[in-house]
Amino acid sequence: TLATAESTLGNTDAALGHVRQAIALAPEKIEYQLVLAAIHERREEGAEALACYHALQAQAPKELTYRIRALAASLPRQVDSVTTIDSLRARLASEIDAITSAEGIVGFPEQAAFTLYCLAYHGRNDYPLLDATARLVRTHLPGLRTDSLPPRSAGRTRLHIGILSSRLHNHSIGKLNIGYIRHLDRSRFHVTVIHGPGSVADASTTAALCRLC
């Protein structure tokens, strides 16, 4: 939709206007409500995004898409104390387990993709939460399982990995992931770096990435 395109380009004010107009014209379209929530997430408006997901969940209790998407929206980028971090992570772990064991459907699998990106700001071991998230995905989003992918052709001995970000430049994410990219075993992996929408050209980092790939 036009709203999604504007949001992807970073024009979130325009995106909000378009999606609200779409919702006014067709309030029964769940997809528009999901786009609205996603735009709020992009604007780091977690409370507004959660309100969208909770309203949708109330209308369709058996639909798990909204609960799954709310996982990421429940994690603020900034927290005020280590106590808050502990509380957030405990609630997140409980909700992940609850969704994994819940009976329901994921009617919008293309909208259910999510990332717990803000865990990186907590300074904790994220493996238990990410492992639990992987179990949730295997349970309710089988299309994302690696064993559901088509087999590699006989001539391809390496797994092709794509690393997508709009921050692969002179930025903390770019600096951190250059090391990650560097140490991927090229005898096992074919690596492609993909600069997402809004990427900033930075000659030194781009040159370093080119040398690594």
Side-chain angles (χ1 to χ4, degrees):
T1 66
L2 184 57
T4 301
E6 291 281 16
S7 179
T8 300
L9 292 172
N11 303 325
T12 56
D13 287 340
L16 278 177
H18 290 310
V19 75
R20 285 171 174 159
Q21 184 178 19
I23 290 171
L25 293 171
E28 75 283 358
K29 290 284 189 180
I30 299 300
E31 295 90 339
Y32 298 165
Q33 302 283 348
L34 287 170
V35 170
L36 175 62
I39 294 170
H40 281 307
E41 286 189 67
R42 189 175 182 87
R43 291 164 61 93
E44 298 181 23
E45 297 169 346
E48 290 83 350
L50 281 174
C52 292
Y53 293 133
H54 291 161
L56 289 168
Q57 188 66 43
Q59 297 174 39
K62 289 293 186 180
E63 174 56 67
L64 299 179
T65 302
Y66 319 132
R67 290 182 68 182
I68 292 172
R69 286 296 300 270
L71 292 173
S74 69
L75 289 176
R77 190 178 294 270
Q78 296 180 337
V79 293
D80 56 10
S81 69
V82 294
T83 302
T84 301
I85 289 174
D86 291 339
S87 177
L88 284 170
R89 294 172 75 93
R91 288 202 303 270
L92 180 65
S94 177
E95 180 64 2
I96 290 172
D97 289 343
I99 296 173
T100 301
S101 60
E103 294 184 4
I105 61 169
V106 178
F108 304 90
E110 71 284 357
Q111 299 282 355
F114 68 102
T115 175
L116 301 179
Y117 172 80
C118 289
L119 290 179
Y121 292 97
H122 293 174
R124 304 292 174 83
N125 177 11
D126 295 331
Y127 176 80
L129 284 171
L130 296 179
D131 186 55
T133 300
R135 289 196 298 273
L136 184 157
V137 170
R138 288 195 297 268
T139 300
H140 293 299
L141 297 167
L144 297 181
R145 293 169 57 118
T146 56
D147 56 11
S148 70
L149 300 176
R152 278 178 277 172
S153 61
R156 286 184 55 191
T157 59
R158 297 185 297 167
L159 183 65
H160 195 165
I161 295 176
I163 298 173
L164 168 65
S165 176
S166 59
R167 298 289 184 266
L168 293 174
H169 54 88
N170 190 22
H171 181 282
S172 57
I173 293 175
K175 292 176 180 178
L176 175 67
N177 284 284
I178 282 180
Y180 173 72
I181 297 168
R182 176 182 293 118
H183 293 290
L184 283 168
D185 184 350
R186 295 308 194 275
S187 68
R188 298 175 55 202
F189 303 109
H190 178 108
V191 181
T192 300
V193 172
I194 308 164
H195 294 280
S199 295
V200 177
D202 176 75
S204 60
T205 308
T206 300
L209 288 169
C210 289
R211 289 195 298 271
L212 294 174
C213 295

